Structure formats: C-alpha cells, structure tokens
Amino acid sequence: MQQNEITAILNHPTSQELLARDLLRMAYVAKDGTPRNIPIAFVWNGSQIVVCTTKNAPKLPSLRHNPQVALTIDTEVHPPKILLIRGRVDELDVVDGIPAEYLQMNGSYEMTPEQRVEWEAEVRSLYDGMVRVVITPTWVKLIDFDTTLPSAVEELVRQRAERQHA
C-alpha cells in the first residue's frame, strides 16, 4: 500500500475519531511462535502509533525479533466502525521515568481530578522507566459499513449484483 493511500485513510474523519480512542488491540507473534492479541492504551501522533509498556514486558523480546504487528481500533455500537492497521515497530525506546505519551494516553479515562492525582502518583512510584513502542502503519483499512465493508462482504455484494443483472 502506498504512503499517500495510508495517509488519506488515516486522515478520514472516521479514522481520526477512532485514533482518538483510548485502547487498541495489538497482535504480534510471541517468542514461542504463537500469536498474541493484547489490549493496550495508545496515542496517535499524526503519523505513528505510540504505546508504552513496562521495561520487563514479555512482548518486548518478541517485538525485537519480529517487529510486524496488526492493530485494531473499533467501536462497540452497531454498525461498528473499525480501523485495521498493519505496521512495524520502528522504535523501542527505553525512557527514564514516565513517557509523556503514557500520561496523555491515560488522560481520557473518566477520572475525577482527585483520582487523576492518585493514579499519576501511583504510576510514578511504580515505574522507574518504561519503553515507548513506536509503530509506523504500512497498511490500513477503514470499515464503517456505510462507505466501506470488509473485503469478503464487498465480494458478496458484487456477486449478488452480478446475479441480479444476469
């Protein structure tokens, strides 16, 4: 997929809405060769997805070995809106303290100001550092069930239209 196609899809208003959400699901291949799919908080910086994790996270050796990931961001309503992203981990940056993205990505959860202060104090006392995982999209698909459908459903619609016109 060409970069201009990726950019056009990611700049679509529905994609932007999904990229402003709190959680995505990240699929990767674990060290034992089996698939993993984990929910994780994220930030979209305009060109890349950034997730943060503990320095001892089991996913880190896996991502170093095979940096290819698949991401899903979706809604829980009907019809769902779904943003599918395939990409590669371009950076695994060990950061002293708490990365700004981690604090930002957890900023949209519903917390009172008091809960936010307590949460941030707990985070700062627990982590002496984290790893920023920076993912560059290499393929994207937006499915909104209005203007775009899953490719298999698009094929069924095309086949039905052909039968009706035959």
Side-chain angles (χ1 to χ4, degrees):
M1 181 171 236
Q2 298 297 317
Q3 185 60 49
N4 63 328
E5 297 172 285
I6 293 169
T7 301
I9 293 169
L10 293 174
N11 285 338
H12 187 281
T14 302
S15 295
Q16 290 293 300
E17 174 188 322
L18 291 166
L19 289 165
R21 292 179 62 89
D22 295 320
L23 294 175
L24 57 75
R25 286 182 295 284
M26 180 171 71
Y28 65 95
V29 178
K31 280 177 38 178
D32 65 3
T34 60
R36 298 289 190 275
N37 193 350
I38 60 165
I40 191 164
F42 75 100
V43 168
W44 170 248
N45 69 14
S47 61
Q48 297 170 307
I49 300 270
V50 179
V51 301
C52 298
T53 192
T54 60
K55 293 189 293 187
N56 64 342
K59 66 183 144 298
L60 293 174
S62 300
L63 294 173
R64 284 184 184 99
H65 177 72
N66 181 351
Q68 300 302 312
V69 296
L71 312 173
T72 301
I73 309 167
D74 56 2
T75 61
E76 300 81 26
V77 297
H78 182 77
K81 296 175 185 171
I82 305 164
L83 184 60
L84 302 173
I85 302 171
R86 295 179 201 153
R88 72 178 176 277
V89 173
D90 285 332
E91 300 173 37
L92 291 168
D93 297 327
V94 178
V95 176
D96 289 332
I98 309 303
E101 292 97 341
Y102 187 75
L103 297 174
Q104 178 184 349
M105 69 181 63
N106 289 287
S108 58
Y109 289 114
E110 293 184 21
M111 284 191 237
T112 66
E114 296 80 18
Q115 289 171 322
R116 176 79 187 168
V117 168
E118 290 174 18
W119 172 81
E120 192 169 325
E122 178 66 18
V123 165
R124 291 186 186 283
S125 74
L126 184 61
Y127 302 109
D128 64 350
M130 297 184 87
V131 177
R132 291 175 65 252
V133 180
V134 182
I135 302 162
T136 300
T138 57
W139 178 94
V140 297
K141 178 157 183 149
L142 175 64
I143 301 170
D144 63 11
F145 291 94
D146 181 28
T147 60
T148 57
L149 298 166
S151 57
V153 176
E154 287 174 343
E155 176 65 17
L156 291 174
V157 169
R158 186 190 62 72
Q159 289 173 3
R160 180 180 63 188
E162 288 175 359
R163 285 193 308 271
Q164 291 172 345
H165 290 95

